Amino acid sequence: MSADWTWLFLDAHGEPMQGEGLTTSGFPTQSDAESYLGESWRELLEGGVEAVTLREDGTVVYGPMSLRASE
């Protein structure tokens, strides 16, 4: 049984986001999901995503995690 690792994208108000440029498909492993985020976080931030939550089969693994650098 393969896990379905997905990102929940959140706007500045903490509300879930959907739309063009936001992946809706899952990843086969946590590593694949995290690699995607590592490669895409700048574009996601430019598109209005402020934070993300990683889920495995719908269960929160961690997050919300800000895409902005801590001060």
Side-chain angles (χ1 to χ4, degrees):
M1 178 179 195
S2 65
D4 186 23
W5 295 84
T6 57
W7 289 107
L8 176 63
F9 304 102
L10 305 169
D11 67 15
H13 303 289
E15 296 296 320
M17 295 178 66
Q18 297 180 2
E20 191 173 321
L22 299 180
T23 184
T24 57
S25 61
F27 299 89
T29 67
Q30 181 175 355
S31 178
D32 289 334
E34 290 172 338
S35 290
Y36 162 79
L37 187 65
E39 295 168 2
S40 305
W41 70 270
R42 288 175 186 87
E43 292 84 9
L44 292 168
L45 189 58
E46 289 173 6
V49 176
E50 290 290 326
V52 294
T53 296
L54 182 63
R55 301 181 293 186
E56 178 187 13
D57 293 325
T59 301
V60 172
V61 177
Y62 61 81
M65 176 179 69
S66 175
L67 295 183
R68 297 199 178 270
S70 58
E71 295 179 18

